[in-house]
Amino acid sequence: MSASKSEKKPSDGSADLALDTDLGWAIRMVSTAFRRVATESVAELPGGARGYLVLVALAGGEPPTQLALAREVSLDRTVTTYLLDDLEAHELVTRRPDPRDRRARQVLITDTGRSRLDQVRQSLAAAEARLLTDLDAQDSAQLRTLLSRVAQTAQREAVTPDEADAANC
């Protein structure tokens, strides 16, 4: 007769060091699995996962400048420029001068871009459902909410003091 997992854990506090309670391990496992299923889902999109993030960021509102978009999706400005060139070549985005500052360029998602984004989202939703299969709808929604909050904190923490000073000017 084998002991259950809870019976095997020592009572000296070392159970807190188990992998199944380690945040870093959990994040790594989920990140690896998500990267695998997400990569497959967005493979046909120019720029893959980065292209997807750009289209998602553009789908929701006021067209950002290239610089603001790069910050929002946490990409280097140069990488963003090349990625936008590729997305524009596939007619998924377009750029125009910012009416408030002609030196800056606004990025807009095209109708073709919205259509491709919808297709990719459907594929990605199916992949996410496979990954979240052990969660009910409420747990899945709560996980998304909590991860989003942690991601926002992480994004704020990733801003260097020089960038923060420049943003506050």
Side-chain angles (χ1 to χ4, degrees), residues 101-139:
D101 180 357
R102 293 270 190 210
R103 296 169 295 168
R105 310 264 296 159
Q106 286 183 320
V107 185
L108 298 94
I109 189 169
T110 64
D111 290 341
T112 302
R114 284 186 193 283
S115 176
R116 286 289 298 279
L117 178 59
D118 288 342
Q119 293 167 356
V120 170
R121 276 191 161 163
Q122 289 174 11
S123 175
L124 192 54
E128 289 173 359
R130 288 192 312 272
L131 186 60
L132 301 176
T133 195
D134 290 339
L135 303 180
D136 63 24
Q138 183 178 353
D139 286 344

Short mmCIF file of all heavy atoms in Angstrom, two decimals, residues 101-139:
data_model
loop_
_atom_site.label_atom_id
_atom_site.label_comp_id
_atom_site.label_asym_id
_atom_site.label_seq_id
_atom_site.Cartn_x
_atom_site.Cartn_y
_atom_site.Cartn_z
N ASP A 101 2.19 64.89 -34.27
CA ASP A 101 3.65 65.02 -34.38
C ASP A 101 4.08 64.34 -35.67
O ASP A 101 4.23 63.13 -35.73
CB ASP A 101 4.32 64.36 -33.18
CG ASP A 101 5.85 64.45 -33.23
OD1 ASP A 101 6.40 64.97 -34.23
OD2 ASP A 101 6.49 63.98 -32.27
N ARG A 102 4.27 65.12 -36.71
CA ARG A 102 4.57 64.58 -38.04
C ARG A 102 5.86 63.75 -38.09
O ARG A 102 6.08 62.99 -39.01
CB ARG A 102 4.66 65.72 -39.07
CG ARG A 102 3.32 66.38 -39.30
CD ARG A 102 2.68 65.66 -40.40
NE ARG A 102 1.48 66.34 -40.88
CZ ARG A 102 0.48 65.67 -41.39
NH1 ARG A 102 0.53 64.38 -41.47
NH2 ARG A 102 -0.57 66.31 -41.84
N ARG A 103 6.73 63.90 -37.08
CA ARG A 103 7.95 63.10 -37.05
C ARG A 103 7.66 61.66 -36.65
O ARG A 103 8.43 60.76 -36.95
CB ARG A 103 8.96 63.70 -36.07
CG ARG A 103 9.43 65.09 -36.48
CD ARG A 103 10.20 65.72 -35.35
NE ARG A 103 9.27 65.92 -34.23
CZ ARG A 103 9.60 66.23 -33.00
NH1 ARG A 103 10.88 66.39 -32.70
NH2 ARG A 103 8.71 66.40 -32.05
N ALA A 104 6.56 61.46 -35.94
CA ALA A 104 6.20 60.12 -35.46
C ALA A 104 5.24 59.47 -36.45
O ALA A 104 4.56 60.14 -37.23
CB ALA A 104 5.53 60.22 -34.09
N ARG A 105 5.20 58.14 -36.42
CA ARG A 105 4.31 57.38 -37.30
C ARG A 105 3.33 56.59 -36.45
O ARG A 105 3.72 55.91 -35.52
CB ARG A 105 5.11 56.41 -38.17
CG ARG A 105 6.29 57.05 -38.89
CD ARG A 105 6.05 57.47 -40.26
NE ARG A 105 5.77 56.33 -41.12
CZ ARG A 105 5.15 56.45 -42.27
NH1 ARG A 105 4.79 57.63 -42.69
NH2 ARG A 105 4.91 55.41 -43.01
N GLN A 106 2.04 56.69 -36.80
CA GLN A 106 1.03 55.87 -36.15
C GLN A 106 0.91 54.55 -36.89
O GLN A 106 1.12 54.49 -38.10
CB GLN A 106 -0.34 56.56 -36.18
CG GLN A 106 -0.48 57.71 -35.23
CD GLN A 106 -1.88 58.29 -35.28
OE1 GLN A 106 -2.48 58.41 -36.34
NE2 GLN A 106 -2.40 58.66 -34.12
N VAL A 107 0.56 53.51 -36.15
CA VAL A 107 0.39 52.19 -36.74
C VAL A 107 -1.08 51.80 -36.60
O VAL A 107 -1.66 51.91 -35.53
CB VAL A 107 1.28 51.14 -36.02
CG1 VAL A 107 1.19 49.80 -36.72
CG2 VAL A 107 2.72 51.63 -35.94
N LEU A 108 -1.65 51.35 -37.71
CA LEU A 108 -3.06 50.95 -37.73
C LEU A 108 -3.19 49.53 -38.26
O LEU A 108 -2.47 49.15 -39.20
CB LEU A 108 -3.87 51.89 -38.63
CG LEU A 108 -3.91 53.36 -38.24
CD1 LEU A 108 -2.83 54.12 -38.95
CD2 LEU A 108 -5.26 53.90 -38.55
N ILE A 109 -4.11 48.78 -37.70
CA ILE A 109 -4.40 47.45 -38.21
C ILE A 109 -5.37 47.60 -39.38
O ILE A 109 -6.26 48.45 -39.36
CB ILE A 109 -4.98 46.54 -37.09
CG1 ILE A 109 -5.07 45.09 -37.57
CG2 ILE A 109 -6.30 47.07 -36.57
CD1 ILE A 109 -5.39 44.10 -36.45
N THR A 110 -5.16 46.82 -40.41
CA THR A 110 -6.04 46.86 -41.59
C THR A 110 -7.18 45.85 -41.43
O THR A 110 -7.18 45.03 -40.50
CB THR A 110 -5.25 46.50 -42.87
OG1 THR A 110 -4.80 45.13 -42.74
CG2 THR A 110 -4.06 47.43 -43.09
N ASP A 111 -8.15 45.91 -42.32
CA ASP A 111 -9.23 44.92 -42.30
C ASP A 111 -8.67 43.51 -42.50
O ASP A 111 -9.11 42.56 -41.86
CB ASP A 111 -10.27 45.24 -43.38
CG ASP A 111 -11.09 46.48 -43.06
OD1 ASP A 111 -11.12 46.89 -41.87
OD2 ASP A 111 -11.69 47.05 -43.99
N THR A 112 -7.68 43.40 -43.38
CA THR A 112 -7.02 42.10 -43.59
C THR A 112 -6.34 41.66 -42.30
O THR A 112 -6.40 40.48 -41.92
CB THR A 112 -5.99 42.20 -44.73
OG1 THR A 112 -6.66 42.62 -45.91
CG2 THR A 112 -5.29 40.88 -44.97
N GLY A 113 -5.71 42.58 -41.60
CA GLY A 113 -5.07 42.28 -40.33
C GLY A 113 -6.07 41.81 -39.29
O GLY A 113 -5.81 40.85 -38.55
N ARG A 114 -7.22 42.46 -39.22
CA ARG A 114 -8.27 42.04 -38.27
C ARG A 114 -8.77 40.64 -38.60
O ARG A 114 -9.00 39.82 -37.70
CB ARG A 114 -9.43 43.02 -38.29
CG ARG A 114 -9.15 44.30 -37.58
CD ARG A 114 -10.39 45.19 -37.48
NE ARG A 114 -10.00 46.51 -37.08
CZ ARG A 114 -9.69 46.87 -35.83
NH1 ARG A 114 -9.74 45.96 -34.87
NH2 ARG A 114 -9.34 48.10 -35.54
N SER A 115 -8.94 40.36 -39.88
CA SER A 115 -9.41 39.04 -40.30
C SER A 115 -8.40 37.96 -39.91
O SER A 115 -8.76 36.91 -39.36
CB SER A 115 -9.66 39.05 -41.80
OG SER A 115 -10.01 37.77 -42.25
N ARG A 116 -7.12 38.21 -40.19
CA ARG A 116 -6.07 37.25 -39.83
C ARG A 116 -5.98 37.09 -38.32
O ARG A 116 -5.80 35.99 -37.81
CB ARG A 116 -4.71 37.69 -40.38
CG ARG A 116 -4.52 37.53 -41.87
CD ARG A 116 -4.38 36.09 -42.33
NE ARG A 116 -3.23 35.38 -41.81
CZ ARG A 116 -2.00 35.47 -42.28
NH1 ARG A 116 -1.73 36.24 -43.32
NH2 ARG A 116 -1.03 34.78 -41.73
N LEU A 117 -6.12 38.19 -37.60
CA LEU A 117 -6.08 38.13 -36.14
C LEU A 117 -7.22 37.26 -35.61
O LEU A 117 -7.01 36.45 -34.71
CB LEU A 117 -6.15 39.54 -35.54
CG LEU A 117 -6.17 39.63 -34.01
CD1 LEU A 117 -4.93 38.98 -33.40
CD2 LEU A 117 -6.30 41.09 -33.58
N ASP A 118 -8.41 37.41 -36.16
CA ASP A 118 -9.54 36.58 -35.74
C ASP A 118 -9.26 35.09 -35.98
O ASP A 118 -9.55 34.25 -35.13
CB ASP A 118 -10.82 36.99 -36.47
CG ASP A 118 -11.37 38.32 -35.99
OD1 ASP A 118 -10.99 38.77 -34.89
OD2 ASP A 118 -12.20 38.90 -36.73
N GLN A 119 -8.67 34.78 -37.13
CA GLN A 119 -8.33 33.38 -37.44
C GLN A 119 -7.32 32.83 -36.44
O GLN A 119 -7.47 31.71 -35.93
CB GLN A 119 -7.78 33.26 -38.86
CG GLN A 119 -8.77 33.56 -39.94
CD GLN A 119 -8.09 33.74 -41.31
OE1 GLN A 119 -6.87 33.73 -41.42
NE2 GLN A 119 -8.92 33.93 -42.34
N VAL A 120 -6.30 33.61 -36.18
CA VAL A 120 -5.24 33.18 -35.27
C VAL A 120 -5.80 33.05 -33.85
O VAL A 120 -5.46 32.11 -33.12
CB VAL A 120 -4.03 34.14 -35.31
CG1 VAL A 120 -3.05 33.86 -34.20
CG2 VAL A 120 -3.35 34.07 -36.66
N ARG A 121 -6.66 33.97 -33.46
CA ARG A 121 -7.25 33.91 -32.11
C ARG A 121 -8.05 32.63 -31.93
O ARG A 121 -8.04 32.03 -30.85
CB ARG A 121 -8.14 35.12 -31.86
CG ARG A 121 -7.36 36.31 -31.38
CD ARG A 121 -8.29 37.38 -30.90
NE ARG A 121 -7.57 38.31 -30.04
CZ ARG A 121 -7.99 39.49 -29.74
NH1 ARG A 121 -9.15 39.91 -30.18
NH2 ARG A 121 -7.28 40.28 -28.96
N GLN A 122 -8.77 32.20 -32.95
CA GLN A 122 -9.54 30.96 -32.85
C GLN A 122 -8.61 29.76 -32.66
O GLN A 122 -8.86 28.90 -31.81
CB GLN A 122 -10.41 30.76 -34.10
CG GLN A 122 -11.57 31.73 -34.17
CD GLN A 122 -12.34 31.62 -35.48
OE1 GLN A 122 -12.14 30.70 -36.26
NE2 GLN A 122 -13.23 32.57 -35.72
N SER A 123 -7.55 29.73 -33.41
CA SER A 123 -6.57 28.64 -33.28
C SER A 123 -5.90 28.68 -31.91
O SER A 123 -5.73 27.65 -31.25
CB SER A 123 -5.52 28.76 -34.39
OG SER A 123 -4.52 27.81 -34.23
N LEU A 124 -5.55 29.86 -31.47
CA LEU A 124 -4.90 30.02 -30.18
C LEU A 124 -5.86 29.67 -29.04
O LEU A 124 -5.45 29.05 -28.05
CB LEU A 124 -4.37 31.45 -30.03
CG LEU A 124 -3.44 31.73 -28.87
CD1 LEU A 124 -2.25 30.78 -28.86
CD2 LEU A 124 -2.96 33.17 -28.92
N ALA A 125 -7.12 30.03 -29.16
CA ALA A 125 -8.12 29.71 -28.13
C ALA A 125 -8.24 28.19 -27.96
O ALA A 125 -8.35 27.69 -26.84
CB ALA A 125 -9.47 30.33 -28.47
N ALA A 126 -8.21 27.47 -29.05
CA ALA A 126 -8.28 26.00 -28.98
C ALA A 126 -7.04 25.45 -28.29
O ALA A 126 -7.13 24.53 -27.46
CB ALA A 126 -8.43 25.41 -30.38
N ALA A 127 -5.88 26.00 -28.60
CA ALA A 127 -4.64 25.56 -27.97
C ALA A 127 -4.64 25.89 -26.48
O ALA A 127 -4.23 25.07 -25.65
CB ALA A 127 -3.44 26.22 -28.66
N GLU A 128 -5.11 27.08 -26.12
CA GLU A 128 -5.20 27.47 -24.72
C GLU A 128 -6.15 26.55 -23.97
O GLU A 128 -5.89 26.17 -22.82
CB GLU A 128 -5.66 28.92 -24.59
CG GLU A 128 -4.63 29.93 -25.01
CD GLU A 128 -5.17 31.35 -25.04
OE1 GLU A 128 -6.37 31.57 -24.75
OE2 GLU A 128 -4.40 32.26 -25.37
N ALA A 129 -7.27 26.20 -24.59
CA ALA A 129 -8.25 25.31 -23.95
C ALA A 129 -7.62 23.96 -23.61
O ALA A 129 -7.90 23.40 -22.55
CB ALA A 129 -9.47 25.14 -24.84
N ARG A 130 -6.76 23.46 -24.51
CA ARG A 130 -6.07 22.20 -24.23
C ARG A 130 -5.14 22.35 -23.02
O ARG A 130 -5.06 21.48 -22.17
CB ARG A 130 -5.28 21.73 -25.44
CG ARG A 130 -6.14 21.21 -26.57
CD ARG A 130 -5.33 20.49 -27.65
NE ARG A 130 -4.15 21.18 -28.13
CZ ARG A 130 -4.14 22.06 -29.14
NH1 ARG A 130 -5.26 22.36 -29.78
NH2 ARG A 130 -3.01 22.62 -29.51
N LEU A 131 -4.46 23.48 -22.94
CA LEU A 131 -3.54 23.71 -21.84
C LEU A 131 -4.28 23.90 -20.51
O LEU A 131 -3.81 23.48 -19.46
CB LEU A 131 -2.68 24.95 -22.13
CG LEU A 131 -1.56 25.27 -21.16
CD1 LEU A 131 -0.56 24.13 -21.06
CD2 LEU A 131 -0.86 26.54 -21.56
N LEU A 132 -5.47 24.50 -20.55
CA LEU A 132 -6.24 24.80 -19.34
C LEU A 132 -7.32 23.76 -19.07
O LEU A 132 -8.25 24.02 -18.31
CB LEU A 132 -6.86 26.19 -19.46
CG LEU A 132 -5.88 27.35 -19.65
CD1 LEU A 132 -6.62 28.67 -19.85
CD2 LEU A 132 -4.91 27.45 -18.48
N THR A 133 -7.19 22.60 -19.66
CA THR A 133 -8.24 21.58 -19.59
C THR A 133 -8.61 21.18 -18.16
O THR A 133 -9.75 20.80 -17.90
CB THR A 133 -7.85 20.34 -20.42
OG1 THR A 133 -9.00 19.55 -20.61
CG2 THR A 133 -6.74 19.54 -19.77
N ASP A 134 -7.69 21.27 -17.21
CA ASP A 134 -7.99 20.88 -15.83
C ASP A 134 -8.65 21.98 -15.01
O ASP A 134 -8.93 21.79 -13.83
CB ASP A 134 -6.71 20.42 -15.12
CG ASP A 134 -6.20 19.09 -15.64
OD1 ASP A 134 -7.00 18.34 -16.24
OD2 ASP A 134 -5.00 18.80 -15.48
N LEU A 135 -8.90 23.14 -15.64
CA LEU A 135 -9.56 24.25 -14.95
C LEU A 135 -10.99 24.41 -15.45
O LEU A 135 -11.24 24.27 -16.65
CB LEU A 135 -8.80 25.56 -15.18
CG LEU A 135 -7.33 25.61 -14.77
CD1 LEU A 135 -6.74 26.97 -15.09
CD2 LEU A 135 -7.16 25.28 -13.30
N ASP A 136 -11.89 24.77 -14.54
CA ASP A 136 -13.25 25.10 -15.00
C ASP A 136 -13.23 26.54 -15.50
O ASP A 136 -12.21 27.24 -15.42
CB ASP A 136 -14.29 24.87 -13.91
CG ASP A 136 -14.11 25.75 -12.67
OD1 ASP A 136 -13.50 26.83 -12.77
OD2 ASP A 136 -14.59 25.36 -11.60
N ALA A 137 -14.34 27.01 -16.03
CA ALA A 137 -14.41 28.34 -16.63
C ALA A 137 -14.05 29.44 -15.63
O ALA A 137 -13.34 30.40 -15.97
CB ALA A 137 -15.80 28.59 -17.22
N GLN A 138 -14.54 29.31 -14.41
CA GLN A 138 -14.26 30.32 -13.39
C GLN A 138 -12.77 30.35 -13.03
O GLN A 138 -12.17 31.42 -12.93
CB GLN A 138 -15.09 30.07 -12.14
CG GLN A 138 -14.91 31.12 -11.07
CD GLN A 138 -15.78 30.88 -9.85
OE1 GLN A 138 -16.62 29.99 -9.84
NE2 GLN A 138 -15.58 31.67 -8.82
N ASP A 139 -12.17 29.17 -12.84
CA ASP A 139 -10.74 29.11 -12.54
C ASP A 139 -9.90 29.66 -13.69
O ASP A 139 -8.92 30.37 -13.48
CB ASP A 139 -10.30 27.68 -12.24
CG ASP A 139 -10.77 27.18 -10.88
OD1 ASP A 139 -11.16 28.00 -10.04
OD2 ASP A 139 -10.74 25.95 -10.68
#
